[in-house]
Amino acid sequence: MKLIDVSVFGGSWPFRAHARRTPEQLKAYLTARGVGQAWLASASAVFYPDPMAGNEELFAETGEEPFFIKVAVIDVTLATWERDLTNCFERLGCLAVKLFPNYHGYGLDDPRVLRLVALCRERRAPVCIQVRMMDERGHHTLMKVPAVPVEQVVALAQRAPGARFLVCGAYQGELHRLREAGNVWADLSFVESGHTLRVAVNALGAQRLVFGSHTPLHSFGAGAAKLDVPPGDVEPDTVRRIRAENALSLLRG
Amino acid sequence: MQQRSRAIDVHTHLNTPGPQPSEEELERAIRTARYYGIERLVLLGNLTAMGGPDPSMADVAAINSHTLRAMARYPETYIGFCYVNPAHPVSFLRDEIDRCVVQGGMKGLKLWIAVKATDPRLEPVMEAAAELQIPVLHHAWYKQTVFIYNESTPAEIAELARRFPEVPIVMAHLTGCGARGVLDVADRPNVYVDTSGGQPESGILEYAVGQLGPDRVLYGSDWPLRDFGVQIGRVRDADLPADVLERLLWRNAARLLRIEEDAP
């Protein structure tokens, strides 16, 4: 089975130069690296005053290309967020939602988040929480954005046991704290230590890790190397799950 | 699976304390490195588990003895660097460098965060490096948070390089230094940059090669804090010509460390 990459961005990220690819170019780039499906969200939507502009411009370009799983960026502090969510599902064809609580200025204990989770659950859509976009040490001097505490994700997930959550951008040391909530998956995009995959599996378990590259902000080759482990380091069946099967379970429920 | 072109990793550590290196840790590091095509490992010392940010003379001696034993156990893999704390008496610094480099065969000096790169107490250390014609690998980072002790910035490394232009200096942690750090040292031809550490941000490697040229960037991992595969994966997947990658992965370090370039 081909790789499923749950953390890919289109649009632009303002803090440094990065590759900007059309959806066609992005598909070709990822396909050449063994990816069969990519969960795509708009990085521009993080900073646009209305993230729907980011969702709209990105998914107008992707069209109905089945290679991409469209992930809607929603800001629950906007008056129209419920309408935005409906539009993303029904008009843009999104299958998942991504939240940036630290960039949009709210906590996961906000009642609107629980409402959003309920609406996503009705549509069987996973809710992705991007806990960080960059190593905090390298933030812009005028814009230091603390990571979303993973404990907030656990608390939210425990209040919504029927929903499915994906944590994107957690560090290795944060994975074990996610164990407490059985409905939380985590991507590997910021996870690293010696023997990354073995340590990550020990921390969170083989069923709840998924592959995410954080393309184009991280090197895809670096991310893919986390699944390319020496013989005996991690069971091949576990690698297979993390390559694609877990992401399918997360998406389909 | 990555293309397994051979590599020298200029930035590794051990993490198990004790008078003897852990045989299990050495064997595991070598086995993992070999899987990714990494043939030689520059061992900078077991700094965190055996000394901390401001190690005593006894700590430094123990760390370097630990490195020497790893070199003796696996001479075909490990290349040692002598760890020094410039705050120590000059007589101790000279004796330790003599013990490790002249007598022990280490091929460079390692400076971490005990003192800043601009501290005048670095002078005898740099003079020894100049006399022995060996490189100095120095920690560096530009940070907005999580500062640790006397960390040096790339600008401070550039100043050190200006004062000692005859000493090759490897500025560690390319991603941590960032574009600003690369520019700090761009006009200091005796400064090299290693690719170790930090998240594997895309583009910074190509940027460094563009600013510094293909001969001043070296592959390093910061193992075991980081993953050999991830850190070399970012290099092998960089948008750079094959001959440039070969320099980053092997030839630049081989030249700096005086390793036979044509060795298999």
Side-chain angles (χ1 to χ4, degrees):
Chain A
M1 185 179 292
K2 291 202 168 200
L3 198 53
I4 296 178
D5 187 341
V6 301
S7 293
V8 177
F9 289 96
S12 67
W13 182 248
F15 295 107
R16 62 183 178 84
H18 62 80
R20 296 177 191 218
R21 302 179 178 94
T22 65
E24 293 78 13
Q25 291 168 332
L26 182 59
K27 180 184 175 187
Y29 174 86
L30 293 171
T31 301
R33 287 158 174 76
V35 176
Q37 187 179 74
W39 295 26
L40 182 66
S42 168
S44 305
V46 179
F47 288 105
Y48 284 175
D50 176 0
M52 279 305 286
N55 294 326
E56 299 266 11
E57 70 184 12
L58 179 61
F59 299 135
E61 290 181 1
T62 57
E64 300 307 310
E65 170 56 66
F67 179 81
F68 295 112
I69 299 297
K70 298 176 191 175
V71 181
V73 176
I74 298 293
D75 178 356
V76 298
T77 69
L78 296 177
T80 56
W81 74 265
E82 288 201 39
R83 188 177 72 203
D84 296 342
L85 187 68
T86 301
N87 276 330
C88 284
F89 284 132
E90 295 184 358
R91 187 163 53 78
L92 299 181
C94 295
L95 296 179
V97 170
K98 181 166 278 198
L99 304 181
F100 294 83
N102 49 351
Y103 285 93
H104 289 156
Y106 59 88
L108 289 176
D109 55 354
D110 189 306
R112 292 168 292 190
V113 175
L114 203 57
R115 169 75 179 146
L116 175 137
V117 169
L119 293 172
C120 289
R121 187 183 170 197
E122 286 175 9
R123 294 178 184 269
R124 303 177 59 80
V127 177
C128 312
I129 314 290
Q130 187 75 44
V131 296
R132 62 175 53 78
M133 284 292 281
M134 297 171 59
D135 182 335
E136 289 82 359
R137 295 173 296 180
H139 279 192
H140 191 282
T141 188
L142 296 178
M143 188 161 179
K144 300 166 190 171
V145 183
V148 178
V150 294
E151 288 78 8
Q152 286 192 12
V153 182
V154 171
L156 175 65
Q158 288 174 335
R159 291 180 69 191
R164 301 186 308 286
F165 296 88
L166 169 63
V167 170
C168 298
Y171 282 149
Q172 185 91 63
E174 295 168 329
L175 289 182
H176 72 279
R177 288 183 257 161
L178 297 172
R179 284 193 88 108
E180 297 168 41
N183 53 339
V184 176
W185 283 251
D187 82 356
L188 291 170
S189 61
F190 280 72
V191 175
E192 190 185 348
S193 67
H195 303 288
T196 297
L197 194 62
R198 176 153 54 86
V199 177
V201 169
N202 289 340
L204 190 59
Q207 312 278 347
R208 291 162 55 194
L209 288 167
V210 292
F211 174 72
S213 68
H214 206 57
T215 295
L217 300 177
H218 281 182
S219 156
F220 183 90
K226 294 172 186 174
L227 302 181
D228 178 10
V229 294
D233 213 34
V234 177
E235 289 296 319
D237 185 56
T238 296
V239 177
R240 195 176 65 247
R241 286 176 185 279
I242 297 168
R243 281 180 58 84
E245 290 176 10
N246 291 348
L248 288 175
S249 300
L250 170 61
L251 186 65
R252 292 171 182 165
Chain B
M1 182 177 284
Q2 298 173 25
Q3 294 293 317
R4 306 300 202 214
S5 48
R6 65 181 181 169
I8 299 169
D9 188 328
V10 302
H11 195 131
T12 75
H13 300 281
L14 294 173
N15 202 34
T16 306
Q20 296 289 337
S22 156
E23 180 63 24
E24 192 273 337
E25 183 179 19
L26 292 175
E27 189 277 330
R28 181 162 41 86
I30 292 169
R31 177 164 39 87
T32 308
R34 289 282 161 85
Y35 178 74
Y36 295 107
I38 305 160
E39 297 177 6
R40 307 297 302 270
L41 302 174
V42 171
L43 185 53
L44 303 175
N46 188 338
L47 308 189
T48 51
M50 292 177 65
D54 186 19
S56 68
M57 288 186 279
D59 290 336
V60 165
I63 290 167
N64 287 328
S65 294
H66 200 258
T67 299
L68 286 166
R69 289 175 185 130
M71 293 165 58
R73 179 71 182 87
Y74 292 102
E76 72 286 358
T77 300
Y78 280 114
I79 300 164
F81 269 36
C82 175
Y83 177 46
V84 290
N85 177 350
H88 290 157
V90 173
S91 59
F92 175 78
L93 291 171
R94 288 182 177 149
D95 288 348
E96 187 66 0
I97 292 170
D98 182 77
R99 178 175 81 95
C100 295
V101 178
V102 179
Q103 298 173 48
M106 291 192 188
K107 292 200 168 189
L109 305 180
K110 162 65 176 174
L111 291 167
W112 189 32
I113 55 174
V115 302
K116 289 271 197 180
T118 48
D119 192 303
R121 290 173 291 181
L122 259 70
E123 192 163 319
V125 175
M126 300 303 285
E127 287 174 350
E131 183 183 331
L132 295 167
Q133 298 184 308
I134 55 174
V136 173
L137 190 147
H138 203 307
H139 174 91
W141 209 291
Y142 271 125
K143 287 184 177 176
Q144 298 294 337
T145 185
V146 199
F147 305 101
I148 50 171
Y149 209 62
N150 286 319
E151 280 189 291
S152 297
T153 65
E156 290 163 335
I157 300 295
E159 173 58 17
L160 180 66
R162 186 194 63 77
R163 291 170 54 213
F164 298 96
E166 71 279 28
V167 178
I169 298 172
V170 180
M171 182 171 79
H173 309 311
L174 171 60
T175 301
C177 294
R180 176 181 293 273
V182 169
L183 295 176
D184 283 337
V185 301
D187 294 334
R188 301 278 176 243
N190 55 321
V191 179
Y192 299 71
V193 178
D194 88 29
T195 62
S196 72
Q199 290 295 324
E201 289 185 4
S202 58
I204 186 66
L205 189 54
E206 294 88 334
Y207 180 83
V209 170
Q211 292 292 335
L212 307 178
D215 297 326
R216 291 171 57 195
V217 182
L218 314 170
Y219 158 67
S221 66
D222 213 4
W223 170 273
L225 295 172
R226 293 280 170 179
D227 190 308
F228 282 130
V230 173
Q231 296 292 322
I232 202 166
R234 73 185 300 195
V235 178
R236 289 182 172 137
D237 198 35
D239 187 15
L240 294 167
D243 67 305
V244 172
L245 291 178
E246 201 270 341
R247 292 190 209 196
L248 268 55
L249 290 170
W250 184 275
R251 197 171 298 275
N252 294 343
R255 187 178 66 252
L256 199 61
L257 301 171
R258 300 180 183 188
I259 295 169
E260 177 57 54
E261 289 201 16
D262 294 327

